[in-house]
Amino acid sequence: MIGFTPLPFLLFISLLAIPPSPASSSSRNAIECSRVQPNSTCFIEGVSFESTADEYLTIFPPATHIIMQASEILHFAPHLFDALPGTVFLTLKGSIIPALTFRSDELRSLRIDATELRELAVAPLVNRQLNTLIITGNPLSVIPPTVRYLTGLSMLDLSNNRLLHVQLGWFEPMAGLLVLDLSGNRITRLVVHASLRLVRLENFWTNHNQLRRIEFFPRFAPALRRVRLVENYWACEWVAQVRELIWANQIQVHGAEHACPEAQDGGLCCYEGQQPFNELDGGLEREANGDDEGGQFGKTYARVESYLQARDRQPARACNVLEQKYRTLVDEKELLERRFINTVRELERTVRRLTAELTEAQDRLRTQHVRLA
Protein backbone atom coordinates (compact mmCIF):
# COMPACT_ATOMS: atom_id res chain seq x y z
CA MET A 1 0.00 0.00 0.00
CA ILE A 2 1.33 3.42 -0.97
CA GLY A 3 2.32 5.58 2.04
CA PHE A 4 2.35 2.69 4.50
CA THR A 5 5.23 2.78 7.01
CA PRO A 6 6.09 -0.45 8.84
CA LEU A 7 5.50 -0.31 12.61
CA PRO A 8 9.01 -1.56 13.60
CA PHE A 9 10.58 1.29 11.63
CA LEU A 10 8.42 3.85 13.46
CA LEU A 11 9.40 2.37 16.80
CA PHE A 12 13.11 2.60 15.85
CA ILE A 13 12.76 6.26 14.86
CA SER A 14 10.90 7.09 18.09
CA LEU A 15 13.64 5.47 20.18
CA LEU A 16 16.28 7.58 18.48
CA ALA A 17 14.28 10.68 19.33
CA ILE A 18 14.20 9.89 23.05
CA PRO A 19 16.98 11.81 24.92
CA PRO A 20 19.49 9.82 26.97
CA SER A 21 18.29 8.95 30.43
CA PRO A 22 20.01 10.66 33.36
CA ALA A 23 20.60 7.20 34.76
CA SER A 24 23.19 6.59 32.03
CA SER A 25 25.57 9.03 33.69
CA SER A 26 25.22 7.12 36.97
CA SER A 27 26.83 4.11 35.33
CA ARG A 28 30.18 5.84 35.73
CA ASN A 29 32.47 4.15 38.25
CA ALA A 30 32.91 6.88 40.87
CA ILE A 31 35.76 6.15 43.29
CA GLU A 32 35.46 7.64 46.77
CA CYS A 33 38.09 8.66 49.32
CA SER A 34 38.76 6.09 52.05
CA ARG A 35 39.62 8.99 54.33
CA VAL A 36 40.41 12.68 54.02
CA GLN A 37 43.06 14.49 56.02
CA PRO A 38 42.51 18.01 57.37
CA ASN A 39 44.70 19.39 54.57
CA SER A 40 42.20 17.94 52.06
CA THR A 41 44.46 15.04 51.07
CA CYS A 42 42.30 12.20 49.74
CA PHE A 43 43.43 8.64 50.52
CA ILE A 44 42.17 5.91 48.18
CA GLU A 45 42.68 2.24 49.01
CA GLY A 46 41.82 -1.12 47.46
CA VAL A 47 41.21 -0.02 43.88
CA SER A 48 41.16 -2.73 41.20
CA PHE A 49 39.42 -3.07 37.85
CA GLU A 50 37.73 -6.16 36.49
CA SER A 51 37.85 -4.98 32.88
CA THR A 52 39.18 -2.23 30.64
CA ALA A 53 35.62 -0.91 30.29
CA ASP A 54 35.56 -0.27 34.06
CA GLU A 55 38.75 1.78 33.73
CA TYR A 56 37.25 4.01 31.04
CA LEU A 57 34.15 4.61 33.20
CA THR A 58 36.19 5.56 36.26
CA ILE A 59 36.04 9.02 37.84
CA PHE A 60 38.30 9.90 40.77
CA PRO A 61 37.13 12.33 43.45
CA PRO A 62 37.83 16.03 42.75
CA ALA A 63 40.70 16.35 45.25
CA THR A 64 43.81 18.46 44.85
CA HIS A 65 46.04 15.80 46.45
CA ILE A 66 45.31 12.08 46.03
CA ILE A 67 47.30 9.26 47.63
CA MET A 68 46.41 5.83 46.24
CA GLN A 69 47.68 2.76 48.07
CA ALA A 70 46.99 -0.97 48.52
CA SER A 71 45.58 -1.10 45.00
CA GLU A 72 46.10 -3.28 41.93
CA ILE A 73 46.10 -1.70 38.48
CA LEU A 74 47.95 -3.59 35.76
CA HIS A 75 48.39 -0.48 33.61
CA PHE A 76 47.85 3.07 34.83
CA ALA A 77 46.99 4.34 31.35
CA PRO A 78 46.37 7.88 30.01
CA HIS A 79 42.59 7.58 30.36
CA LEU A 80 43.05 7.12 34.13
CA PHE A 81 45.04 10.36 34.27
CA ASP A 82 42.16 11.96 32.37
CA ALA A 83 39.79 10.78 35.12
CA LEU A 84 41.57 12.91 37.76
CA PRO A 85 39.56 16.15 37.76
CA GLY A 86 41.45 18.97 39.43
CA THR A 87 44.17 16.74 40.92
CA VAL A 88 47.53 18.52 41.19
CA PHE A 89 49.48 16.10 43.42
CA LEU A 90 49.22 12.33 42.82
CA THR A 91 50.99 9.64 44.86
CA LEU A 92 50.87 5.94 44.00
CA LYS A 93 52.42 3.83 46.75
CA GLY A 94 52.43 0.37 48.26
CA SER A 95 50.46 -1.09 45.36
CA ILE A 96 50.83 -3.34 42.33
CA ILE A 97 51.06 -1.11 39.27
CA PRO A 98 53.62 -2.78 36.97
CA ALA A 99 53.05 -0.42 34.00
CA LEU A 100 52.31 3.29 33.72
CA THR A 101 51.92 5.63 30.75
CA PHE A 102 52.03 9.27 31.79
CA ARG A 103 49.90 11.86 30.04
CA SER A 104 48.42 14.75 31.99
CA ASP A 105 48.04 18.48 31.58
CA GLU A 106 46.97 19.02 35.20
CA LEU A 107 49.44 17.25 37.49
CA ARG A 108 52.25 19.24 39.10
CA SER A 109 53.67 16.37 41.15
CA LEU A 110 53.69 12.60 40.57
CA ARG A 111 55.20 10.10 43.00
CA ILE A 112 55.41 6.35 42.28
CA ASP A 113 56.70 4.58 45.38
CA ALA A 114 57.01 0.78 45.72
CA THR A 115 54.41 -0.19 43.12
CA GLU A 116 56.39 -2.96 41.35
CA LEU A 117 56.72 -0.63 38.37
CA ARG A 118 58.61 -2.29 35.50
CA GLU A 119 57.39 -0.45 32.40
CA LEU A 120 57.33 3.34 32.23
CA ALA A 121 56.21 5.35 29.22
CA VAL A 122 55.76 9.09 28.69
CA ALA A 123 53.45 10.42 26.00
CA PRO A 124 55.51 12.24 23.30
CA LEU A 125 53.84 15.59 24.01
CA VAL A 126 55.62 18.57 25.52
CA ASN A 127 54.55 18.89 29.16
CA ARG A 128 55.45 22.05 31.08
CA GLN A 129 53.07 21.47 34.01
CA LEU A 130 54.70 18.55 35.83
CA ASN A 131 57.22 20.01 38.28
CA THR A 132 58.14 17.01 40.44
CA LEU A 133 58.56 13.36 39.39
CA ILE A 134 59.59 10.79 42.02
CA ILE A 135 59.92 7.13 41.05
CA THR A 136 61.54 5.11 43.83
CA GLY A 137 61.64 1.59 45.22
CA ASN A 138 60.65 -0.19 42.00
CA PRO A 139 62.21 -2.90 39.77
CA LEU A 140 62.41 -0.35 36.95
CA SER A 141 65.48 -0.91 34.75
CA VAL A 142 64.82 1.38 31.77
CA ILE A 143 63.90 5.06 31.48
CA PRO A 144 62.18 5.90 28.17
CA PRO A 145 63.81 8.57 25.96
CA THR A 146 60.44 10.35 25.85
CA VAL A 147 61.12 11.56 29.39
CA ARG A 148 62.68 14.52 27.56
CA TYR A 149 59.15 15.82 26.90
CA LEU A 150 58.73 16.62 30.61
CA THR A 151 60.33 20.01 30.13
CA GLY A 152 58.84 21.57 33.28
CA LEU A 153 60.59 19.29 35.78
CA SER A 154 62.61 20.95 38.52
CA MET A 155 62.97 17.78 40.62
CA LEU A 156 63.57 14.30 39.17
CA ASP A 157 64.11 11.48 41.67
CA LEU A 158 64.83 8.04 40.18
CA SER A 159 66.50 6.58 43.27
CA ASN A 160 66.41 3.02 44.58
CA ASN A 161 65.28 1.35 41.39
CA ARG A 162 67.24 -1.02 39.09
CA LEU A 163 68.41 1.36 36.40
CA LEU A 164 71.40 0.12 34.41
CA HIS A 165 72.11 2.88 31.96
CA VAL A 166 71.08 6.56 31.71
CA GLN A 167 71.66 9.20 29.04
CA LEU A 168 71.89 12.57 30.74
CA GLY A 169 71.11 14.23 27.42
CA TRP A 170 67.49 13.15 27.89
CA PHE A 171 67.24 15.71 30.72
CA GLU A 172 68.71 18.65 28.82
CA PRO A 173 65.30 19.99 27.63
CA MET A 174 64.38 20.40 31.33
CA ALA A 175 65.67 23.95 31.52
CA GLY A 176 64.62 24.36 35.17
CA LEU A 177 65.93 21.03 36.54
CA LEU A 178 67.40 21.68 40.00
CA VAL A 179 67.57 18.18 41.54
CA LEU A 180 68.56 14.92 39.81
CA ASP A 181 68.74 11.83 42.03
CA LEU A 182 70.02 8.61 40.44
CA SER A 183 71.24 7.02 43.68
CA GLY A 184 70.69 3.43 44.76
CA ASN A 185 70.53 1.89 41.27
CA ARG A 186 72.85 -0.40 39.28
CA ILE A 187 74.09 2.15 36.80
CA THR A 188 77.34 1.19 35.11
CA ARG A 189 77.57 4.14 32.73
CA LEU A 190 76.15 7.62 32.35
CA VAL A 191 76.25 8.86 28.77
CA VAL A 192 77.38 12.48 28.69
CA HIS A 193 78.11 14.38 25.48
CA ALA A 194 80.68 17.16 25.39
CA SER A 195 78.02 19.75 24.51
CA LEU A 196 75.61 18.75 27.31
CA ARG A 197 74.60 21.54 29.69
CA LEU A 198 72.13 21.08 32.54
CA VAL A 199 72.23 24.79 33.15
CA ARG A 200 70.36 25.03 36.47
CA LEU A 201 71.19 21.67 38.07
CA GLU A 202 72.32 22.24 41.67
CA ASN A 203 71.93 18.81 43.34
CA PHE A 204 73.24 15.65 41.69
CA TRP A 205 73.13 12.29 43.51
CA THR A 206 74.84 9.24 41.94
CA ASN A 207 75.83 7.39 45.11
CA HIS A 208 75.37 3.62 45.46
CA ASN A 209 75.77 2.61 41.83
CA GLN A 210 78.46 0.81 39.80
CA LEU A 211 80.10 3.75 38.06
CA ARG A 212 83.76 3.95 37.05
CA ARG A 213 83.68 7.55 35.83
CA ILE A 214 81.39 10.34 34.65
CA GLU A 215 82.69 12.09 31.58
CA PHE A 216 82.80 15.91 31.44
CA PHE A 217 82.03 16.18 35.15
CA PRO A 218 81.22 18.74 36.47
CA ARG A 219 81.35 20.80 33.26
CA PHE A 220 77.92 19.61 32.11
CA ALA A 221 76.36 21.20 35.25
CA PRO A 222 77.79 24.74 35.56
CA ALA A 223 75.48 25.62 38.49
CA LEU A 224 76.25 22.44 40.49
CA ARG A 225 76.50 23.00 44.26
CA ARG A 226 76.02 19.61 45.94
CA VAL A 227 76.90 16.01 44.91
CA ARG A 228 76.85 12.52 46.41
CA LEU A 229 79.37 10.10 44.90
CA VAL A 230 80.05 7.42 47.53
CA GLU A 231 79.70 3.66 47.01
CA ASN A 232 80.74 3.31 43.38
CA TYR A 233 83.72 1.70 41.63
CA TRP A 234 85.53 4.92 40.75
CA ALA A 235 88.80 4.79 38.81
CA CYS A 236 91.56 6.39 40.89
CA GLU A 237 92.78 8.60 38.04
CA TRP A 238 89.23 9.93 37.55
CA VAL A 239 88.85 10.68 41.26
CA ALA A 240 92.15 12.58 41.32
CA GLN A 241 91.13 14.67 38.33
CA VAL A 242 87.61 15.40 39.55
CA ARG A 243 88.70 16.27 43.09
CA GLU A 244 90.58 19.31 41.80
CA LEU A 245 87.61 20.41 39.71
CA ILE A 246 85.24 20.02 42.66
CA TRP A 247 87.55 22.17 44.79
CA ALA A 248 87.90 24.81 42.08
CA ASN A 249 84.12 25.02 41.55
CA GLN A 250 83.34 25.08 45.30
CA ILE A 251 81.04 22.06 45.10
CA GLN A 252 79.95 20.42 48.35
CA VAL A 253 80.53 16.65 48.44
CA HIS A 254 78.15 14.89 50.86
CA GLY A 255 79.15 11.59 52.38
CA ALA A 256 82.57 9.94 52.71
CA GLU A 257 83.91 6.39 52.70
CA HIS A 258 86.32 5.26 55.39
CA ALA A 259 86.82 1.51 54.86
CA CYS A 260 88.14 0.91 51.36
CA PRO A 261 89.36 -2.45 50.03
CA GLU A 262 91.81 -0.63 47.74
CA ALA A 263 92.76 3.07 47.68
CA GLN A 264 91.07 6.15 49.08
CA ASP A 265 91.23 9.63 47.63
CA GLY A 266 89.46 12.57 49.22
CA GLY A 267 86.87 10.40 50.97
CA LEU A 268 86.08 8.20 47.95
CA CYS A 269 87.15 4.60 47.47
CA CYS A 270 88.83 4.05 44.13
CA TYR A 271 90.17 1.06 42.21
CA GLU A 272 93.39 0.96 40.18
CA GLY A 273 92.99 -0.70 36.79
CA GLN A 274 90.13 -2.92 37.92
CA GLN A 275 87.03 -3.69 35.94
CA PRO A 276 84.33 -4.89 38.37
CA PHE A 277 81.90 -5.80 35.58
CA ASN A 278 81.73 -8.85 33.38
CA GLU A 279 80.44 -9.34 29.86
CA LEU A 280 76.88 -9.80 31.09
CA ASP A 281 76.97 -6.29 32.53
CA GLY A 282 77.95 -4.98 29.14
CA GLY A 283 75.11 -6.84 27.45
CA LEU A 284 72.60 -5.42 29.92
CA GLU A 285 73.99 -1.94 29.37
CA ARG A 286 73.73 -2.26 25.58
CA GLU A 287 70.14 -3.47 25.90
CA ALA A 288 69.22 -0.61 28.21
CA ASN A 289 70.88 1.80 25.77
CA GLY A 290 68.12 1.22 23.19
CA ASP A 291 64.94 3.24 23.12
CA ASP A 292 63.01 0.02 23.82
CA GLU A 293 59.87 1.44 22.29
CA GLY A 294 58.83 -2.04 21.12
CA GLY A 295 57.75 -3.16 24.60
CA GLN A 296 60.76 -5.29 25.52
CA PHE A 297 60.75 -4.28 29.20
CA GLY A 298 59.72 -7.76 30.32
CA LYS A 299 62.65 -9.42 28.55
CA THR A 300 65.06 -6.88 29.99
CA TYR A 301 63.72 -7.43 33.49
CA ALA A 302 64.01 -11.21 33.14
CA ARG A 303 67.64 -10.86 32.07
CA VAL A 304 68.37 -8.54 34.97
CA GLU A 305 66.86 -11.00 37.43
CA SER A 306 68.94 -13.81 35.89
CA TYR A 307 72.05 -11.65 36.18
CA LEU A 308 71.38 -10.80 39.82
CA GLN A 309 70.83 -14.42 40.72
CA ALA A 310 74.12 -15.34 39.07
CA ARG A 311 75.96 -12.54 40.86
CA ASP A 312 74.51 -13.60 44.21
CA ARG A 313 76.36 -16.91 43.75
CA GLN A 314 79.76 -15.20 43.50
CA PRO A 315 82.39 -15.68 46.24
CA ALA A 316 81.84 -14.49 49.80
CA ARG A 317 83.76 -11.23 49.28
CA ALA A 318 81.30 -10.01 46.66
CA CYS A 319 78.37 -11.07 48.85
CA ASN A 320 79.78 -9.12 51.77
CA VAL A 321 80.10 -6.01 49.62
CA LEU A 322 76.50 -6.37 48.41
CA GLU A 323 75.30 -6.95 51.96
CA GLN A 324 77.08 -3.81 53.13
CA LYS A 325 75.51 -1.79 50.31
CA TYR A 326 72.10 -3.23 51.12
CA ARG A 327 72.38 -2.25 54.79
CA THR A 328 73.44 1.24 53.80
CA LEU A 329 70.47 1.56 51.42
CA VAL A 330 68.06 0.41 54.12
CA ASP A 331 69.47 2.95 56.55
CA GLU A 332 69.23 5.80 54.07
CA LYS A 333 65.90 4.96 52.45
CA GLU A 334 63.71 6.12 55.31
CA LEU A 335 65.67 9.35 55.71
CA LEU A 336 65.46 10.09 51.97
CA GLU A 337 61.73 9.41 51.92
CA ARG A 338 61.15 11.79 54.82
CA ARG A 339 63.23 14.46 53.11
CA PHE A 340 61.33 14.23 49.84
CA ILE A 341 57.96 14.14 51.58
CA ASN A 342 58.94 17.26 53.50
CA THR A 343 60.09 18.89 50.28
CA VAL A 344 56.77 18.22 48.53
CA ARG A 345 54.83 19.45 51.55
CA GLU A 346 56.95 22.56 51.74
CA LEU A 347 56.24 23.25 48.06
CA GLU A 348 52.53 22.85 48.72
CA ARG A 349 52.67 25.26 51.66
CA THR A 350 54.65 27.75 49.58
CA VAL A 351 52.10 27.63 46.76
CA ARG A 352 49.22 28.14 49.20
CA ARG A 353 51.02 31.01 50.93
CA LEU A 354 51.85 32.77 47.68
CA THR A 355 48.29 32.33 46.46
CA ALA A 356 46.92 33.84 49.67
CA GLU A 357 49.36 36.75 49.49
CA LEU A 358 48.47 37.41 45.86
CA THR A 359 44.76 37.36 46.64
CA GLU A 360 45.27 39.73 49.55
CA ALA A 361 47.31 42.11 47.38
CA GLN A 362 44.63 42.07 44.69
CA ASP A 363 41.96 42.86 47.29
CA ARG A 364 44.00 45.80 48.55
CA LEU A 365 44.40 47.16 45.03
CA ARG A 366 40.66 46.88 44.41
CA THR A 367 39.95 48.71 47.68
CA GLN A 368 42.36 51.50 46.78
CA HIS A 369 40.79 51.89 43.32
CA VAL A 370 37.32 52.11 44.87
CA ARG A 371 38.46 54.79 47.30
CA LEU A 372 40.11 56.81 44.52
CA ALA A 373 37.00 56.57 42.42
Side-chain angles (χ1 to χ4, degrees), residues 2 80 118 130 135 169 173 177 233 253 269 319 326:
I2 299 174
L80 291 178
R118 290 173 170 82
L130 192 67
I135 304 175
L177 188 63
Y233 295 109
V253 180
C269 296
C319 293
Y326 174 76

Side-chain angles (χ1 to χ4, degrees), residues 188-237:
T188 60
R189 186 165 66 95
L190 293 176
V191 176
V192 183
H193 299 295
S195 61
L196 175 65
R197 292 295 181 273
L198 303 178
V199 293
R200 295 192 60 190
L201 186 65
E202 295 183 359
N203 302 275
F204 184 47
W205 305 154
T206 61
N207 49 294
H208 296 89
N209 277 289
Q210 300 175 2
L211 291 164
R212 288 284 290 166
R213 62 179 64 247
I214 304 176
E215 299 296 340
F216 308 109
F217 179 89
R219 192 174 74 185
F220 65 83
L224 193 61
R225 292 293 174 266
R226 288 165 290 275
V227 297
R228 285 186 181 270
L229 302 171
V230 297
E231 293 293 338
N232 278 281
Y233 295 109
W234 301 119
C236 289
E237 52 89 12

Side-chain angles (χ1 to χ4, degrees), residues 278 280 303-315:
N278 55 30
L280 182 54
R303 291 195 60 195
V304 174
E305 288 297 306
S306 175
Y307 158 66
L308 293 175
Q309 293 173 5
R311 191 172 67 172
D312 288 341
R313 293 192 291 268
Q314 287 180 357

Side-chain angles (χ1 to χ4, degrees), residues 90-108:
L90 175 63
T91 298
L92 308 174
K93 60 182 296 186
S95 300
I96 299 177
I97 307 176
L100 181 143
T101 300
F102 175 78
R103 189 194 67 197
S104 172
D105 296 327
E106 302 294 333
L107 284 184
R108 299 292 182 87

Side-chain angles (χ1 to χ4, degrees), residues 108-111 130-134 152-155 344 347:
R108 299 292 182 87
S109 173
L110 173 61
R111 175 169 183 153
L130 192 67
N131 177 268
T132 301
L133 177 59
I134 301 173
L153 286 182
S154 62
M155 177 180 181
V344 172
L347 287 173

